[in-house]
């Protein structure tokens, strides 16, 4: 049973130490009966400055700060299932999308442990993230009240936030200059706002400071870099012959990809909440992994599986983008994918060169590619005369139709 | 009613003047009652040397040569429908696939006009092209016998072909060196065979003479080239402000793309006839057009249309790849696509740089992108408070499930 | 630009003369500046008593009543496109769903003609109809304010409605007995509420007065009735050899189907607004038409078309159910369907017997069924030896996989 | 490595004791070096007379007869996965389709155990069964030669078969009267041929002897029969409160359904080998199980799962129909299905009445149906005001489009 506003005594807050979540603390206390606020910083690789974070949270009014290292959980339990499914949403590699259920689940766990009455997040009312957060909370903590200040308060802009912060003596190192709206984690960094809001304009990739995870193709080195990735059942486990843990592996590929101008995406996407928005994404390591994984699947999956998987990938992408992670369908799709990945084991070499990822060799102990059959010469498994029968039967509906159509009424 | 072998007196042959189709002429005469052979060269941009072609055909035994310029027909009636549908097959832009029905339809027309008994093509028995040719023939000329020498004769290799040619005094400028198997037309050039038959090997893009329509990313200029393409209802009609006919436009973009290392694809694909094969494709202009078209659709199509179109695109790609051009489903899909393209009008600028196509601006009079709604601030069309209701209803199945699950039997 | 509440002077109301819409008139005047209320009754076959309706509307406070006969428009422009697409939503034949855009479009037209400021409907806040109404209004009259009293007022039940009516001297022939919630039109009648809210209970089909459009299978005659329907390009045009207009045809089949216990559907469906609900539907004529149309398609559509159409049908069903009638995707799907229906012409005979519709013969000038090829004997179009080649190539991926798997690592 | 014809010494034959497989034995010995023939009768409920079968096989020339009881294997490992997936092919419940891989796998096992060189089946060259048999053999015994006499010998009709039998002194109780072509097993009985080859004719359901598993709706009793089926994770385990083994359960429901005229299907279907064919199917128990299972899913699956499962069901149906049982995609789909069936547990009551299956109550401990939310009144989980926000965001693309379209070029 959800609590009424007046009964909310203890709130768990998704906390980053940035402007938004810093002013939420005093706002919560003012508007929710001077409630206790427990700040939780779930680290999925945002690069949040953790030093002094606890002090800052408490100074702002929180009673406690949890810092949770979710990086491994995020990669292995959220990113890998998407990679295995080749899930994208309109070409977007889901960077923010699958981080939200990971963080929200951790929040729900702490809220339950702390006996909190509500969970609060700092997502705006126009974005997808509020949906992703709240759908996970509805699944994991159905009795918990959800507080979304941006949909409730009167603050309407960054300037008003700063005014509020100053009025409440919140010490923040910020300035009133506007900036891109960014979201960063281990998997990606997104840019929105300012000139990007005009799709008629080219992003300023070459402008110093715009890109953070790497450089533009033009700025990348003139010599290519080869990278060889090993997968076991669809999961990357080693790079250039060196086994790596999941976090280390993604960080390493981010570096390699970033240096070579890999993984930039500029799209006008369709948000769940109804509008189109334009974003630029940096996903250097992710782009490499998706590409390599797909190449490996071209030799380890049969045609029927490969084609139907495109349907599955699209649905998975939509579910994840829409925040429907903890749902029976997403789980069943993962069961499908896991089954199909049993033989997606092998090595893929890519040549990284100024934004390009060029296939430079793929091998697998489970390859379905048969050089003998593929070649144009004779072979023992393929009898060219069989093609006649195949074409006759495959084309039978066409031939029958053409034959019968000769006696159809003319004015069809 | 199809003719028996002994009743075949006149055969129309898809003729290129190359080794394969040159030896087919005497072989037909030897094996089919000294039949008349009418050679037809359908030009879809293969770059066949037309000078002297008639003489060569007649010297080899043909009674006549037709040379048909199908380039405009090919682009406007076969390529544009695929572009409008964003149709691909496993990332492949269908270059050979949609050329076959175009040529085969022309062959059928001539065969009917000439009163021929059979149509002959030089496709091998292990490839897709035989299917594409024959399915079109079954649709367009159901009573015509189809002769596919590669599935009938005893010649098993290039060397045996040359022996046969020499034994029949066919004057060919060829040598016994093996070479890649290539297919070229206005839209693309494909490479198969030799070292490409080993997917573990990187293609030798930088080797002189390998690429024909352009250069590799590494060989491309260090300075980018901008190109602006105008579309009307999904069809490209102008480049950089200059209106162009369809053939000229594709040729121009091939040149521009080729120079900048655009449009190389290296895949292991699943052939219709059952095996996996590895090919390298050059589609410089095509890659630019597909990319630009897709970018334009991101602002002119709504989400539901954009997502469902992915399903349509996959199906269209399969139908075209499989040779099912002249079928009711392909036609109905084109009706769907044409309807949806009514507002896909506008301009897309791409920056071509060493293999990259970078979005550099998109505009449309029919844009669905609304800058005001997209931005994070307040606006008149979007009330952030609406998001609460949206999330509650969108998430209702999740919330209900979580609530009900509290009383489920534990051992689910 | 939408009007603020205080600027709303004239409102167009979807009016039926029933309890809900009757009390809305005084409520609007009380709550919206004593605004003018124009009542509009769009007749899609609800069986609304039209005699005295104008008097009642005006007595209740309306300034005017429009009565629009939308029956032909509804059938030909909304139902036929769904029938041609075989569109269903979870087995439901969309009866209420496609009536809403038809009525809402008419409302928008009148609102524009009358220069109204707002459009009001009486749909509840828990159902799908509010969405269907409003999505059409957003498409057809984007500047019009929408008023949905059920989401605004404090009336929470039928009893409170009656109290309100009595307090405002609205003369209604109603009683406080609760009843099923019903929606009726030319195509169907739906039942919800009361004992139906328990899916564990069987509906009381045999109870007098429950079913309105026909009888239960048990109550139907012991002798079957044959009916033969003629379709032209997917549209029914004649029954038992008699040409009929669309309205007459549906009414006739409703009678025939209803008498024979045809077209009852009892489902727990997933509403767009998030919850599951249970309904019983009577669609006697519709069930006959869907069945007959589908049978005709089995002989007039080829396999590829028939199978892909299932995907199209599901998407069409979702769009219509969700109120997305006036959208580019729905229109493009209709373009697809229209194209495919070009040969769906012919006659289907069904034997109606106590709830069963039994195939009793189908013919078409465009049939793709070829008796000779279908039979097991020899024939000229099908060479049984071709099957060997077909199986070898169709099964090649399986054979190759099995061959290669012999050398796979054992612990796959 | 497959054997050449002259090296085939031992053949395993799928044997029924009927005309076809009886004459195959001497034919094999005559045409394959007087090879040893091992007959295998895999019992999936065909109702083959087993008494005297061994004697008959040996008399005809076989060296040995295996009789395998595959009924439990067939139901639990082939039928249940299809039921869980709701897999159909054009409404057909797959009766013959999933029996073939079951039998073929058993044949392959025995062939390997016996060290046979080849496997032989008696399927004709125009049907689907040859494909289903051989695809399984290719998967399970890739080195085994497959012999399909119908595609090899000169016998073209039943009369010629009988001549052959008489010439070889094969003692068969048969006559030269033609009859329907039937296939029977535990799940179904199919009828093809004779008057059924004309889709314009109604099947003679009421003619004595036509139906074998039950009666027509008209012949069924005038009083309904209620049946209550219990499912555990998608699998039926009890009927009317009595737990039953899988074979017993299907047999029991066949009897119940058959008596009440349930489960007749008459369709023109699209065979894999290219032609349309017309069949009548009796699947009384299967029809009950599919219906009951589907009803249970309406309350235990959420909307997203339920809708996407339709796509899965279609693909599963095609794979099974096409004989692609032992493929990675079929297995991955089963993994998907199994995951989703975790909560498909509960009881469904159906009222069987003269061909009708009428919902008479469904319950589940895992129900997602919430009576309170479903009802039209107020409730704690659903706030009607939320609908406003939902509609505004769900309809935002439509509203935006309509707003923007006001300034579009008019000649769209």
């Amino acid at each position: 049973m959800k609590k009424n506003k007046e009964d909310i005594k203890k709130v768990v807050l998704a906390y980053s130490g940035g402007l938004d979540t810093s002013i939420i603390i005093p706002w919560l206390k003012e508007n929710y009966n001077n409630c206790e606020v427990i700040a939780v910083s779930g680290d999925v690789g945002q690069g949040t400055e953790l030093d002094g974070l606890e002090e800052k949270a408490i100074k702002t009014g929180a009673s406690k700060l949890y810092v949770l290292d979710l990086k491994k959980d995020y990669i292995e339990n959220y990113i890998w299932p998407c990679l295995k499914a080749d899930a994208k949403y309109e070409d977007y590699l889901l960077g923010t999308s699958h981080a939200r259920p990971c963080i929200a689940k951790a929040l729900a766990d702490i809220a339950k442990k702390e006996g909190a009455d509500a969970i609060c997040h700092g997502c705006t009312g126009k974005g997808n993230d509020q949906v992703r957060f709240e759908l996970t909370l509805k699944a994991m903590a159905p009795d918990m009240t959800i507080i979304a200040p941006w949909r409730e308060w009167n603050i309407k802009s960054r300037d008003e936030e700063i005014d509020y912060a100053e009025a409440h003596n919140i010490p923040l190192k910020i300035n009133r200059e506007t900036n891109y709206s960014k979201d960063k984690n281990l998997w990606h960094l997104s840019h929105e706002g300012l000139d990007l809001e005009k799709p008629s304009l080219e992003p300023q990739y070459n402008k110093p400071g715009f890109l953070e995870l790497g450089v533009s193709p033009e700025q990348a080195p003139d010599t290519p870099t080869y990278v060889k990735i090993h997968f076991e059942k669809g999961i990357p486990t080693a790079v250039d012959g060196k086994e790596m843990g999941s976090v280390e592996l993604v960080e390493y590929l981010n570096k390699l990809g970033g240096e070579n101008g890999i993984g930039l995406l500029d799209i006008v996407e369709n948000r769940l909440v109804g509008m189109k928005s334009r974003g630029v994404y940096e996903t250097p390591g992710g782009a490499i992994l998706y590409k390599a994984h797909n190449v490996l699947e071209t030799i380890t999956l049969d045609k029927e599986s490969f084609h139907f998987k495109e349907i599955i990938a699209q649905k998975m992408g939509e579910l994840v983008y829409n925040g429907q992670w903890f749902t029976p369908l997403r789980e069943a799709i993962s069961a499908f994918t896991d089954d199909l990945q049993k033989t997606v084991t092998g090595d893929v070499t890519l040549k990284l060169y100024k934004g390009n990822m060029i296939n430079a060799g793929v091998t697998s102990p489970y390859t379905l590619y048969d050089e003998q059959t593929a070649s144009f010469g004779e072979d023992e498994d393929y009898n060219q005369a069989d093609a006649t029968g195949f074409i006759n039967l495959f084309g039978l509906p066409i031939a029958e139709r053409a034959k019968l159509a000769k006696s159809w009424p003319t004015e069809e």
Side-chain angles (χ1 to χ4, degrees), chain A residues 79-80 82-86 187 227-243 249 253 285-297 300 341-350 361-366:
Chain A
I79 295 180
W80 285 173
C82 291
L83 174 64
K84 287 195 279 186
D86 302 306
W187 188 246
V227 59
K228 181 178 182 176
I229 300 162
H230 180 72
F231 290 86
E232 288 284 333
K233 301 187 180 183
I235 293 174
T237 58
V239 178
D240 292 334
K242 190 184 160 211
E243 295 211 0
L249 186 143
L253 291 179
I288 293 171
L289 287 170
Y290 265 67
K291 168 76 176 174
H293 181 256
N294 180 262
V295 169
L296 184 54
E297 288 188 328
T300 53
Q341 297 291 301
K342 285 185 304 194
T343 59
V344 183
T345 292
D347 290 277
V348 179
T349 305
L350 296 174
V362 52
T363 59
S364 167
Y366 302 107

Side-chain angles (χ1 to χ4, degrees), chain A residues 302-353:
Chain A
D302 61 290
K303 178 173 80 170
E304 294 275 359
S305 300
F306 196 75
H307 289 198
F308 193 65
K309 200 163 186 274
E310 288 187 40
I311 310 283
I312 291 283
Q314 189 195 27
K315 179 54 76 177
M316 179 79 168
E318 288 176 0
L319 291 171
V320 175
Y321 187 86
N322 293 346
Q324 295 163 301
W325 187 271
F326 291 106
T327 59
L329 181 55
R330 203 280 306 158
E331 289 166 13
I333 285 180
S334 286
F336 172 95
T337 304
D338 286 352
D339 195 79
L340 214 51
Q341 297 291 301
K342 285 185 304 194
T343 59
V344 183
T345 292
D347 290 277
V348 179
T349 305
L350 296 174
K351 177 179 180 175
L352 311 179
Y353 173 69

